Amino acid sequence: MTAASNAFIEISGLTKTYQVRPRFFARSRPLAAVAGVSFTVEEGGTFGLVGESGSGKSTIAKMLMGAELQSGGDIRIADRRFGSRLSAADDAWRRRALQPVLQDPTSALNPRLRVASIVAEPMRVQRSQPDDAAYERRVIELLEKVGLTASHARRRPSELSGGQRQRVAIARALALEPRVLVLDEPVSALDVSIQAQVLNLLKDLQAELKLTYLLISHDLAVVAYMSSRIGVLYLGQFMEIGDKADVIARPAHPYTQALIAASEPEHAASLDRVMGEIPSPLAPPPGCPFHPRCQQAVARCRVDKPLLRPIGPNHQVACHLAG
Ligand SMILES: Nc1ncnc2c1ncn2[C@@H]1O[C@H](COP(=O)(O)OP(=O)(O)OP(=O)(O)O)[C@@H](O)[C@H]1O
Ligand SMILES: [Mg+2]
C-alpha cells in the first residue's frame, strides 16, 4: 500500500499471533488474530474498521494504543515508529496522544467516584493543572464540550443515562488533549435512539479539535456514517479497503456485499443466519478465508489465496472474481 505523505497513522504488515489451547489438556496452537494488516489514517480523518465478532478489530486497536505488543509489522504515528522495541519517550507520548473510548461506559467508569473526579483523574495523574480551582474549571469546560453541564459533575455514574455516561467517558478521554481517539464500538451498548446523538457529538468534536479517529464497529451503518475510509476485516485480514464512496456504493468483495445486504433494515438478518458461522481462526480455511461462506466461490478460491489488489485509485479488494 502506498503511504500517503499526510498519513498521521501508518500501519504496515501488522500481525498478532496468540498461543491458545483449544482444550485444557491440548497442546497450545497459534491463533492469528491479525494476519498482515496495512492501512493509513490521515490527520483529522476517520478510518472505520468493520467486521464480525472475532475478526481482529479490538486486537488492532490494542496494538495501536500499545496495550498489546504486535507479533510483527510496523506502526507509525506522527512520524514516531512503534516497532517491537519502544523508546520510553515515544511510549509516554503515545499514552497521552491516543485515548480509548470503549463499548461499555458503565464498566469504564468507577461507580464510586463522582463525575468531576472521573474526568479530572487523568489530569491529576499528569498534574496538568496548577490548583483545585483550575481542575474544576477544566472539568466543567470538558463537560460542556460533550453536551453536559456543571450540574452533572456532582453525580455518580449510576445517576446518569447510558448516553450521558458515554459522554463522561468521552470528556475524560479529551482531558489531556489527545490527537487520536480509538473508538471501539462506542455506541453499541446504547439505545438506537441515543446512538446518533453520540455519533454526531463525536463528529463535532473531531471538527473542533482536529482529532483523528480509528472507529471500530460491527455495524456497517455506523462505520459508513462516520468514516472517510473503510477496511472490511475477516479472520484478521482485509477483504476490501477503500474510500467510503467505493466500499459502500461499489462494494467489490462478496463479503462486503453480504455485510451491506445484512445491514439493510428490510433484511435485518444477522450474517450468521444467512451464511453460517465464521470459521475458527485456529483452523482458517485454505485459499480464500471467505470461500466456505461465499455464494460466488469457484474452484480456484478453495486453493489459491487472493491478495489485496487495486481496482480503483483508492480501492483494493482481495477476491479473484472482483473487477
Ligand atoms: N488475549 C488473547 N488470547 C488469545 N486469543 C485472543 C486474545 N485476544 C483476542 N483473541 C482472539 O483473537 C481473535 C480476534 O479477537 P478480537 O477481540 O480482536 O476480535 P473483535 O473483532 O474485536 O471481536 P468483537 O466484535 O467480538 O469485539 C479472536 O479469535 C479472539 O478469540
Ligand atoms: Mg472487539
Side-chain angles (χ1 to χ4, degrees):
M1 184 180 196
T2 53
S5 58
N6 62 346
F8 190 70
I9 297 172
E10 192 180 336
I11 286 182
S12 42
L14 196 64
T15 64
K16 181 71 189 184
T17 306
Y18 292 109
Q19 290 294 328
V20 299
R21 285 173 197 275
R23 295 178 312 282
F24 186 74
F25 289 107
R27 202 198 273 242
S28 71
R29 280 200 280 159
L31 180 153
V34 178
V37 157
S38 304
F39 62 96
T40 59
V41 195
E42 65 194 292
E43 185 156 27
T46 299
F47 188 92
L49 262 181
V50 66
E52 284 166 279
S53 183
S55 56
K57 305 179 297 293
S58 296
T59 305
I60 292 173
K62 286 177 193 160
M63 290 190 279
L64 180 67
M65 310 253 332
E68 291 268 12
L69 194 61
Q70 67 259 41
S71 310
D74 239 356
I75 298 172
R76 273 173 194 276
I77 311 166
D79 290 326
R80 291 163 196 258
R81 183 162 172 256
F82 298 90
S84 46
R85 291 175 55 185
L86 296 178
S87 94
D90 283 349
D91 211 29
W93 177 87
R94 173 161 69 173
R95 273 203 300 276
R96 201 168 163 153
L98 279 72
Q99 292 292 325
V101 174
L102 305 177
Q103 173 168 353
D104 182 3
T106 307
S107 62
L109 307 178
N110 185 335
R112 287 190 296 271
L113 297 182
R114 294 186 196 277
V115 165
S117 308
I118 291 170
V119 174
E121 188 188 21
M123 300 187 282
R124 297 260 184 204
V125 169
Q126 299 277 340
R127 296 191 172 81
S128 74
Q129 304 292 326
D131 53 41
D132 283 352
Y135 282 111
E136 196 181 321
R137 278 197 301 277
R138 178 77 176 132
V139 164
I140 291 168
E141 180 187 44
L142 285 161
L143 291 177
E144 287 174 349
K145 250 194 204 337
V146 300
L148 298 172
T149 63
S151 70
H152 293 103
R154 298 181 46 76
R155 301 207 203 159
R156 293 181 209 280
S158 61
E159 297 160 346
L160 299 172
S161 71
Q164 288 170 335
R165 266 177 240 154
Q166 195 60 305
R167 287 172 194 266
V168 170
I170 294 167
R172 184 180 57 181
L174 295 176
L176 295 172
E177 300 180 24
R179 311 283 303 275
V180 179
L181 292 187
V182 177
L183 304 157
D184 191 347
E185 305 275 7
V187 298
S188 307
L190 304 179
D191 286 353
V192 174
S193 59
I194 307 297
Q195 291 189 358
Q197 293 173 18
V198 172
L199 293 177
N200 287 333
L201 169 68
L202 288 167
K203 275 193 171 187
D204 293 345
L205 291 168
Q206 178 172 46
E208 184 189 337
L209 304 171
K210 305 205 168 33
L211 293 163
T212 302
Y213 287 170
L214 177 69
L215 171 71
I216 289 173
S217 181
H218 67 279
D219 184 341
L220 192 71
V222 168
V223 162
Y225 183 60
M226 297 293 288
S227 312
S228 35
R229 280 178 71 73
I230 294 175
V232 180
L233 206 59
Y234 191 76
L235 289 176
Q237 300 158 63
F238 280 139
M239 298 294 102
E240 181 159 6
I241 178 171
D243 291 344
K244 171 173 55 187
D246 288 323
V247 174
I248 300 299
R250 286 176 288 280
H253 198 288
Y255 181 58
T256 316
Q257 292 163 3
L259 283 176
I260 289 174
S263 76
E264 278 156 8
E266 60 270 32
H267 297 112
S270 74
L271 264 190
D272 52 354
R273 244 184 296 156
V274 181
M275 299 197 293
E277 300 232 331
I278 197 165
S280 163
L282 274 170
C288 172
F290 184 61
H291 88 256
R293 297 168 90 192
C294 183
Q295 313 273 323
Q296 301 169 39
V298 296
R300 182 182 177 194
C301 307
R302 288 176 204 117
V303 289
D304 186 5
K305 181 177 157 152
L307 301 176
L308 273 181
R309 62 189 166 85
I311 57 163
N314 283 309
H315 192 186
Q316 291 175 288
V317 62
C319 175
H320 295 308
L321 307 170

